[in-house]
Amino acid sequence: MRPDLFSIGPITIHGYGLMIGIGFLAAILIGMKRAEKHGLDKDIVFNMGLLCIVGGMLGAKILFIITEWNNIIHSRNLWSDLAYGFVVYGGIIGGILILYVYSRFKKLNFLQYMDLIVPSVSIGQGFGRIGCLLAGCCYGRETDCPIGIVFHNSEFAPNGVSLLPTQIFSSLGDFAIAGFLIWYAGKQKKDGKVISMYLILYGVGRFIVEIFRNDPRGNVGMLSTSQFISIFMVAFGVGMMYFVTHRKKKEQ
């Protein structure tokens, strides 16, 4: 697609980086707006957004290095691989961990704020996948379907071959999940149900999309690394949903 969008003097604006930046900005602004609506501290949400960016980037990079270690050490273009290489699940785990630590330190209701923030996370992921499309990473299998897309100057995807647009599948799925979660949050108390639903929906969707992807991304047996993690994410989400629902019934 368009790895490099345009240049301003010596500065080149990359499609991937720009969309990641737009995703972060949209996530924080929407999170702060929703904080006002739900009576929570928007400054805390802003701080959490910045921390989530740091923890998410570190987690995504660390998991990428772990899953792609063999490819990285033999890479002929190490800088490019490290610059573009991220694993979304690492970002989710890293973001949740750093927010949990921050919540404990500030004595905040972790589940309450996570229920507020998680739709914004999904929105940020949706923009990030558009960045993947522009860069050509996270590409799909070869196809004869009319929906196939062809890359011509990607450093990652095979060029000149029609591929399934798995980046678009993921982006649309992330935006759809975000919309559903915002609606769902309006029906629930902020007690962990929204983040539970996110874990379930994202885990199932990611497992399915992985079937159609064809980029190197590590394996655990017959499953891709992300499919393997998806199983535990869905199981954790179901267990968490049961726990918060059961606890709520006990309190009534």
Side-chain angles (χ1 to χ4, degrees):
M1 292 282 104
R2 291 289 299 276
D4 301 329
L5 296 179
F6 56 89
S7 296
I8 304 175
I11 301 174
T12 299
I13 305 300
H14 303 287
Y16 183 83
L18 178 63
M19 296 312 300
I20 291 291
I22 291 174
F24 283 146
L25 181 61
I28 290 176
L29 291 177
I30 291 172
M32 293 176 66
K33 185 67 175 178
R34 295 185 65 244
E36 288 183 322
K37 180 180 178 180
H38 291 280
L40 296 177
D41 192 327
K42 67 177 183 179
D43 291 331
I44 289 177
V45 172
F46 177 78
N47 293 335
M48 283 185 158
L50 295 181
L51 287 172
C52 194
I53 291 172
V54 175
M57 295 291 283
L58 286 175
K61 182 63 67 177
I62 290 170
L63 188 55
F64 170 77
I65 293 173
I66 292 172
T67 57
E68 292 294 320
W69 178 250
N70 288 331
N71 292 328
I72 289 173
I73 60 177
H74 296 103
S75 175
R76 295 182 179 179
N77 194 359
L78 179 61
W79 174 249
S80 179
D81 287 345
L82 289 177
Y84 282 97
F86 295 94
V87 175
V88 172
Y89 270 134
I92 294 173
I93 295 169
I96 289 175
L97 286 177
I98 199 169
L99 292 186
Y100 178 75
V101 172
Y102 178 78
S103 297
R104 291 295 298 268
F105 179 75
K106 289 288 188 177
K107 295 181 173 57
L108 302 171
N109 186 321
F110 172 69
L111 292 179
Q112 185 179 41
Y113 275 93
M114 283 303 301
D115 274 2
L116 176 82
I117 289 172
V118 76
S120 294
V121 172
S122 195
I123 290 171
Q125 289 174 322
F127 281 107
R129 287 304 182 188
I130 297 174
C132 292
L133 177 67
L134 294 173
C137 59
C138 307
Y139 54 88
R141 299 180 181 276
E142 293 186 22
T143 183
D144 295 325
C145 295
I147 62 172
I149 56 176
V150 179
F151 294 94
H152 298 287
N153 58 346
S154 172
E155 296 181 15
F156 309 100
N159 291 297
V161 179
S162 181
L163 305 172
L164 287 171
T166 46
Q167 307 95 330
I168 296 177
F169 298 162
S170 295
S171 181
L172 292 176
D174 288 330
F175 287 132
I177 289 173
F180 173 79
L181 291 178
I182 290 173
W183 171 82
Y184 185 69
K187 305 291 184 180
Q188 305 295 330
K189 291 183 178 180
K190 306 301 180 289
D191 57 3
K193 283 189 176 181
V194 179
I195 186 174
S196 301
M197 185 61 70
Y198 166 76
L199 295 174
I200 295 168
L201 293 177
Y202 184 81
V204 171
R206 183 61 184 271
F207 189 97
I208 294 171
V209 170
E210 286 286 310
I211 297 172
F212 302 100
R213 282 178 57 171
N214 199 38
D215 57 312
R217 58 204 184 283
N219 295 91
V220 179
M222 297 179 63
L223 302 175
S224 71
T225 303
S226 293
Q227 284 180 318
F228 181 74
I229 297 174
S230 291
I231 294 172
F232 292 95
M233 175 173 272
V234 172
F236 186 81
V238 171
M240 187 175 178
M241 180 68 79
Y242 174 81
F243 172 77
V244 298
T245 302
H246 188 66
R247 183 182 64 180
K248 183 178 178 180
K249 287 181 179 179
K250 275 189 174 182
E251 292 173 352
Q252 290 177 344

